[in-house]
Amino acid sequence: MPSSPSAAPVEQLRDNAKRLEAALSVGLANPTIKAVHELRSSTRRVEAQLDLLAMVTGLPSWKPAADKLQRRLDKLRRIAGKVRDCDVQEKLLKDQDRALRSSPEAPATLDKSQSKLRKKVAKNRQRGERKLLAAIEQQLPKLARDTEAVLACLKPAAE
């Protein structure tokens, strides 16, 4: 018996939700640069899958549950985005090949300025990391519950 056209997107949503849950657990245990990036990427994958499912016609009523899930994903992604921004800024400030400092146009105070900026970015990352960890702890059980609610609504389409 052929599966319905919406079955594959529903299964993909389930897989992406599991991946997100794993990323959240890893991020909670150790919010490294890679873990924060994976967390943001995973939220995007789930959101993309929800967008894809929104285009499928004939699905049972699932929008209210999906909207609730979307709000939780938005919140987590925004907070993780601030931490990720700090990671990117930190990488840009490293200037490992000393290209900026060795250029003839570089001001004499560049080293000092970069050092100040690195400290500020590190402080911002620590603050963002604390907020992210608190948000993950608060949102993880709710996110799992809301994801299951969406999947339960979509179960007839998957079958």
Side-chain angles (χ1 to χ4, degrees):
M1 177 170 92
S3 63
S4 71
S6 58
V10 172
E11 283 308 308
Q12 192 68 39
L13 175 62
R14 183 181 308 283
D15 293 344
N16 286 330
K18 285 179 186 175
R19 190 173 181 176
L20 173 60
E21 228 173 290
L24 287 167
S25 296
V26 169
L28 188 58
N30 189 12
T32 62
I33 293 170
K34 185 176 180 180
V36 172
H37 176 67
E38 182 60 30
L39 195 157
R40 285 198 75 235
S41 297
S42 296
T43 59
R44 283 279 189 217
R45 283 186 198 95
V46 172
E47 289 174 334
Q49 205 61 42
L50 291 173
D51 289 344
L52 178 67
L53 283 165
M55 292 184 241
V56 176
T57 56
L59 290 177
S61 177
W62 66 286
K63 295 278 189 193
D67 290 344
K68 199 171 187 181
L69 177 60
Q70 182 70 49
R71 283 191 301 276
R72 292 196 194 287
L73 291 170
D74 286 343
K75 183 175 185 173
L76 279 172
R77 192 186 70 255
R78 247 189 338 270
I79 295 169
K82 290 180 182 177
V83 176
R84 179 75 180 137
D85 289 347
C86 290
D87 292 339
V88 171
Q89 291 165 354
E90 195 172 301
K91 185 176 181 188
L92 291 171
L93 284 169
K94 279 188 179 171
D95 191 24
Q96 289 175 333
D97 59 359
R98 305 214 183 275
L100 284 175
R101 286 177 251 173
S102 61
S103 97
E105 300 89 21
T109 59
L110 184 62
D111 275 338
K112 189 175 181 179
S113 297
Q114 278 185 310
S115 179
K116 276 185 177 179
L117 280 173
R118 275 194 294 276
K119 286 178 185 174
K120 188 170 185 172
V121 168
K123 186 177 177 181
N124 286 343
R125 192 197 196 278
Q126 286 176 343
R127 186 181 310 118
E129 189 177 298
R130 283 192 305 270
K131 287 180 181 180
L132 178 61
L133 292 175
I136 292 172
E137 283 181 4
Q138 181 187 25
Q139 297 294 329
L140 189 57
K142 296 173 184 176
L143 194 67
R145 181 192 65 217
D146 292 346
T147 302
E148 284 305 315
V150 170
L151 292 170
C153 291
L154 293 170
K155 190 174 182 175
E159 294 171 350

